[in-house]
Structure formats: C-alpha cells, structure tokens
Amino acid sequence: ISMKNSFISLYNLSETLTVLSGLKKDDVLDNLCKILEIFSRKDFKERIYPEATEYYANMCSALYKADKSAGLPNYLYDLILYDENVFSLACSRGKFHEISTHIIEAVKNDIKTLRLLSEIDYDDIVGMLIKNNPELEKVADSMPSYANTFKYYGKKDVWEDYLSDYVRFYSKNGTGKFARFYSFRMDLNGELLPVTHPDTIRLDNLKEYESQKQKANNNMVSFLSGNPYNNVLLYGDRGTGKSSCVKALANEYAEVGLRVIQLEKNKLKHLSSLMQQLADNPLKFLIFIDDLTFSEDDDNMGTLKAVLEGSVCAQPENTVIYATSNRRHIVRETFTAREGDELHKEDTIDEIMSLSDRFGLMITFQMPSREKFLEIARQIAEERGIKAPFEEIAEGIERFALARGYRSPRIAKQYLDLTFNE
C-alpha cells in the first residue's frame, strides 16, 4: 500500500470515532487529523498545501507542552484514560455490565483507531510534506519530530485487547479531570480548576498534636470506609497546623479515591450546586474551607448552615467538609449583638453560635508550651538534617518567637528556613 493510501485509510478511520469522538477537539489529535485530511485530498500532488506544515508544527508544539517524552503513543493513550464519555462514566460507577455490546464494540474500534494513529512515524509525515512542497527539503533538518515509543505503560501492542484495564482504571480513579488530578480549587464562576502542584505535606511532617491528627484521621477513615462520619471544624491559634492537617489528609488518601476541593469563603454561594454536582460521582470528596470567619450579617453563613444541616437536599454521602478557623464560634460576635436593643438578644447570640455546633467534630489546636515548641523545632531540625547544636537552635528560635509574640509550628519552620537555608 502506498504511503498516500495508508494516510487516506487512517483519515477515514479517524472520521469513524464515536464514543471517543470528543477527543478530536484536542490540539494534538485535531492537528494530526487535519494533516491526514490534506494528505487524503485528490489534488494533493498538484496543489501545494502550506497549512499542512503549520498543522504539523502545531501538533508537535502541543505534544511537547503536554508530554516531556514527546511520545505520541503515550499522549494518545492518556487521552483515552482521561476522557469522560458514556463508557468511562458507566465504568466509574460500577455499571460496566449495563453497557450495550454495541457501545463496547465502538469503544474497542475507537481505541484501535487511536492506536493506529499513534503508530504514524514522523518521518512519513515529513516525507509527505516535502513531497507536496519540495522547497521544504532545504529545511528538512529543522522540522520537529516526536517519539513512537510506548515505554511508560508497558509493551501492549494492541490497546483494544485490554479493555479490562480501562474498566479497572475508571472504577478506581473516576473520569476526566478527577482521574488526572486530586486537588482542585474553584474560580469565581464556580468552575473547578485542577491544582497542578499541590502542597505535598504528609501527616508525619506535622510534629506533635498527635491527638488532633488522630481524630481528624479517624474521621476520614470512617468517611472513606462508608461508615458514619462527621463534618469537621479545626479551630484554634494561628500557625498551629490546622490547614496543614487537612492538606496532609488529602495527600494520604489520594491513591484510594479521595479528591480535595478548596473553597474560599467568597465561593460558598456555589457550595450547594457543587454538592449536587458531586453526588453521583463514585469518588470521595473532601471540601476544604480554610480560615473560615463570618460577620454577623454575612449571607454566606446561611449557605453553609443549610448544607451542614437544615436544607431540603441532604449532603451527599461522598462528601465531607473540613473547615479551619481561628475562632471557636466562627462568627465575629460584637458587643452590639450582646448589648443591642433587640427584644430577644439571646436568640441572636444562639443563632451566631449555632453554625459551629453543626460540625459534628470539633478539634482544637492550641499554641504549644515553650517545651513543646522546642520539641517541635527539634523534630523539624532532625528531619531536615540540620547539624547545628540544638542548644544554639533553641536559643535563636526562642528569641525569634518572642519577637513575633507567639509560638507555633509555623514560627519554628520560618526560623529554620531563614537560618539554615543552605
């Protein structure tokens, strides 16, 4: 078969994508298909198509940005893994047995098509480009290239024969962005954006506060196991590790299907819709609300209270809220509330205090004593391999803490970072 006929066949196959047809919007695959379409034209020999070279450059550029190995098979295989479609969604919900055999056959054919596209050698594409435009011969050495190796996923020459691998992947990891990333934040429009470089802290990195860590962890284990669990409020002095504890839990359990979504207070208006969006997802979600404090007339307070308890829509069983606050009662209570002229001011105060009461588990993080503070510093210094005598560290870190007016794990880390940063 001539190279042109081979490209015509591959182009025709690309046009038959069905279940995975959404992948054709991807920059790499879109440009590759455009190249194949040009190569397939009847007047390809007679007319020069300079845009084909542009499509090829765009394809390689997008591939380089997404895959450091510049491997086309790895890239297209990833597209299959992380696509959200009728097949992957059903598998993620444990309903593979309900999928029509017609859809399963279509998926196999789509996967086969993508495998065949991944096997196209860049030399063949460049050769066809030069054949169409001989002037390119002068810059042939400058044409970009890509790899056809498929090392990362092993030596599976026929992807479509391993459908059970895809089913297991979707069952464990979910689909789409939730399969690719485990940490997310929300933009102003309520859209979830992946955090590509999340904090990698683990529970072992948090020194002392063993009781607090244990309570937070036990609740998370119950949640992940399908047992009764509580929404959690971690409150107390600044810098004591409340937020770090939540992020560490997210890191500990990402491999077993936990996803964390950080929600700032000004995004709480999207909380109810977010909960409903996540309700049918097979994964478990930790909603992390950091540094939570309200004023008395803050509308966001009512939104959070309704989700925690009191809304007609129950909180989905695959979501848990971990919130942190420097305040036990979250709401900044003013003297006006206590001494105002409202007839039933006790009701107002009860209303203010009721929000924190809706968290089933409250964990206190207090400022450490001097002895505990120095022990935290000693453990961090030891973990980092700092060789200085601890008496010297203790003297310096105590002065550093006194200058800032309080002791905390954060203060200890700041001192060690500033003093031993080589």
Side-chain angles (χ1 to χ4, degrees):
I1 302 176
S2 70
M3 189 57 62
K4 178 175 173 61
N5 287 339
S6 175
F7 282 130
I8 291 174
S9 176
L10 288 171
Y11 172 67
N12 289 334
L13 275 175
S14 73
E15 289 290 282
T16 68
L17 288 172
T18 51
V19 177
L20 300 177
S21 62
L23 296 182
K24 292 180 74 173
K25 297 177 183 178
D26 173 80
D27 284 345
V28 173
L29 189 56
D30 176 48
N31 281 290
L32 178 57
C33 290
K34 286 177 178 176
I35 295 167
L36 296 178
E37 191 272 329
I38 289 176
F39 288 172
S40 303
R41 292 179 183 176
K42 292 181 179 180
D43 64 348
F44 180 70
K45 290 182 180 179
E46 293 76 32
R47 177 185 167 192
I48 293 175
Y49 287 97
E51 63 267 33
T53 306
E54 181 183 352
Y55 293 148
Y56 179 63
N58 290 341
M59 183 192 94
C60 290
S61 176
L63 180 61
Y64 297 165
K65 290 177 183 177
D67 188 280
K68 289 183 286 188
S69 71
L72 185 60
N74 287 343
Y75 182 84
L76 294 184
Y77 192 86
D78 272 351
L79 285 187
I80 299 169
L81 283 184
Y82 299 119
D83 187 42
E84 192 166 276
N85 54 67
V86 62
F87 174 77
S88 62
L89 284 170
C91 292
S92 72
R93 293 166 182 160
K95 297 181 179 180
F96 172 74
H97 61 284
E98 298 180 8
I99 304 174
S100 163
T101 55
H102 300 291
I103 294 177
I104 292 174
E105 284 305 310
V107 169
K108 288 182 178 179
N109 289 332
D110 285 357
I111 294 174
K112 179 180 179 180
T113 294
L114 291 169
R115 172 179 61 80
L116 293 172
L117 292 176
S118 79
E119 294 171 357
I120 299 174
D121 193 281
Y122 78 91
D123 277 336
D124 294 332
I125 293 180
V126 172
M128 287 291 282
L129 291 173
I130 292 174
K131 186 175 181 180
N132 178 248
N133 185 358
E135 286 295 310
L136 291 176
E137 186 76 55
K138 300 174 183 177
V139 294
D141 292 341
S142 299
M143 296 287 281
S145 61
Y146 57 84
N148 288 106
T149 52
F150 191 55
K151 296 179 180 178
Y152 185 74
Y153 295 100
K155 298 179 180 179
K156 294 181 179 177
D157 296 325
V158 188
W159 301 353
E160 60 272 21
D161 287 350
Y162 294 86
L163 204 64
S164 59
D165 286 2
Y166 301 98
V167 176
R168 281 193 295 270
F169 180 86
Y170 298 134
S171 298
K172 177 183 177 183
N173 301 288
T175 63
K177 58 192 172 187
F178 293 127
R180 189 183 288 268
F181 304 98
Y182 75 90
S183 183
F184 299 85
R185 62 182 180 84
M186 183 177 280
D187 68 12
L188 289 172
N189 298 317
E191 292 295 319
L192 293 182
L193 304 176
V195 177
T196 54
H197 298 90
D199 190 341
T200 57
I201 192 168
R202 306 300 285 252
L203 287 174
D204 287 344
N205 300 136
L206 304 176
K207 309 308 176 187
E208 298 296 317
Y209 296 95
E210 296 304 322
S211 172
Q212 290 87 339
K213 290 191 294 183
Q214 191 65 48
K215 290 177 183 178
N217 186 60
N218 288 346
N219 187 72
M220 182 57 68
V221 170
S222 292
F223 167 63
L224 294 172
S225 303
N227 295 320
Y229 66 93
N230 288 293
N231 293 312
V232 183
L233 174 64
L234 301 87
Y235 70 93
D237 297 309
R238 65 190 188 277
T240 49
K242 302 181 295 294
S243 301
S244 295
C245 182
V246 180
K247 289 184 283 187
L249 288 172
N251 293 330
E252 295 287 344
Y253 297 108
E255 286 297 315
V256 295
L258 180 65
R259 301 295 182 261
V260 58
I261 299 173
Q262 181 161 357
L263 209 61
E264 289 86 6
K265 192 186 75 169
N266 63 347
K267 315 284 177 51
L268 283 176
K269 62 184 179 181
H270 300 295
L271 182 55
S272 294
S273 60
L274 173 64
M275 290 290 195
Q276 297 309 307
Q277 175 187 333
L278 300 176
D280 291 331
N281 198 295
L283 300 172
K284 300 278 189 172
F285 292 90
L286 163 58
I287 311 298
F288 175 33
I289 309 173
D290 197 21
D291 196 19
L292 188 60
T293 304
F294 295 112
S295 59
E296 295 171 27
D297 57 351
D298 195 325
D299 291 338
N300 288 311
M301 181 171 65
T303 301
L304 181 57
K305 285 176 68 175
V307 169
L308 290 172
E309 183 183 342
S311 171
V312 292
C313 299
Q315 180 179 334
E317 293 181 357
N318 66 335
T319 63
V320 63
I321 297 174
Y322 276 61
T324 69
S325 178
N326 293 338
R327 295 169 177 268
R328 161 68 174 80
H329 293 298
I330 304 177
V331 183
R332 289 192 296 268
E333 184 186 357
T334 65
F335 284 109
T336 303
R338 283 194 175 273
E339 300 176 1
D341 56 2
E342 186 175 350
L343 184 60
H344 300 289
K345 61 184 179 183
E346 293 84 1
D347 291 345
T348 301
I349 296 171
D350 285 344
E351 175 73 10
I352 290 171
M353 297 176 68
S354 68
L355 177 57
S356 57
D357 291 340
R358 297 195 182 198
F359 288 92
L361 176 60
M362 290 182 281
I363 305 174
T364 308
F365 285 72
Q366 294 179 325
M367 188 183 301
S369 64
R370 181 178 182 277
E371 291 73 21
K372 211 163 229 185
F373 174 64
L374 293 178
E375 176 58 20
I376 290 170
R378 186 195 66 75
Q379 291 183 35
I380 296 173
E382 183 180 289
E383 183 177 76
R384 296 184 179 183
I386 296 173
K387 303 299 184 185
F390 187 68
E391 293 76 13
E392 176 186 327
I393 294 175
E395 183 179 347
I397 204 168
E398 182 67 7
R399 286 199 305 269
F400 188 79
L402 289 173
R404 279 153 180 75
Y406 74 107
R407 302 182 182 94
S408 73
R410 182 189 296 162
I411 288 291
K413 291 175 186 174
Q414 288 175 349
Y415 173 78
L416 294 171
D417 287 341
L418 289 170
T419 310
F420 305 96
N421 58 1
E422 64 277 355

